[in-house]
Amino acid sequence: MSNYILRLYITGNSLNSQRAIANLLKLCKEELNNQYKVEIIDVLEEPQRAEKEKILVTPTLIKQLPPPLQRIIGDLSNREKVICGLDVISKHPE
């Protein structure tokens, strides 16, 4: 069962895209106990989805579930900002 449904919008295989994917997957693995589903959408391959979601900047992470819907922009390297944006109680307080 996926308690978190996350969509990460990226642009191609850029360094920022790679960093955002790595940061997101690491955080999910460490904090969400396999209760998540991550979908990675490349705006170059699926521009209509990006347009529908009004994605203006990549990388952009959208938390679909649980509510409320949240958007986090950037390479997700600021762990505290991402944890706060996802409403996750960190198991590893810094």
Side-chain angles (χ1 to χ4, degrees), residues 12-94:
N13 200 21
S14 70
L15 190 58
N16 259 357
S17 295
Q18 291 175 25
R19 199 175 299 131
I21 292 166
N23 288 336
L24 177 61
L25 295 178
K26 182 175 191 275
L27 184 132
C28 287
K29 185 177 177 188
E30 292 173 357
E31 302 291 344
L32 301 182
N33 295 325
N34 292 324
Q35 297 180 359
Y36 62 92
K37 178 181 176 206
V38 172
E39 184 179 5
I40 298 170
I41 297 112
D42 187 336
V43 300
L44 298 176
E45 293 176 11
E46 299 186 66
Q48 70 286 357
R49 287 189 69 183
E51 192 174 312
K52 182 180 169 202
E53 290 276 7
K54 298 183 175 30
I55 302 298
L56 302 175
V57 178
T58 61
T60 295
L61 176 65
I62 297 180
K63 179 185 77 161
Q64 296 290 126
L65 289 175
L69 187 123
Q70 296 277 30
R71 288 175 178 247
I72 302 168
I73 296 171
D75 69 5
L76 312 177
S77 58
N78 184 335
R79 187 179 182 91
E80 290 305 307
K81 179 180 166 189
V82 177
I83 286 173
C84 182
L86 295 178
D87 295 325
V88 174
I89 292 140
S90 179
K91 297 188 299 186
H92 308 285
E94 293 180 23

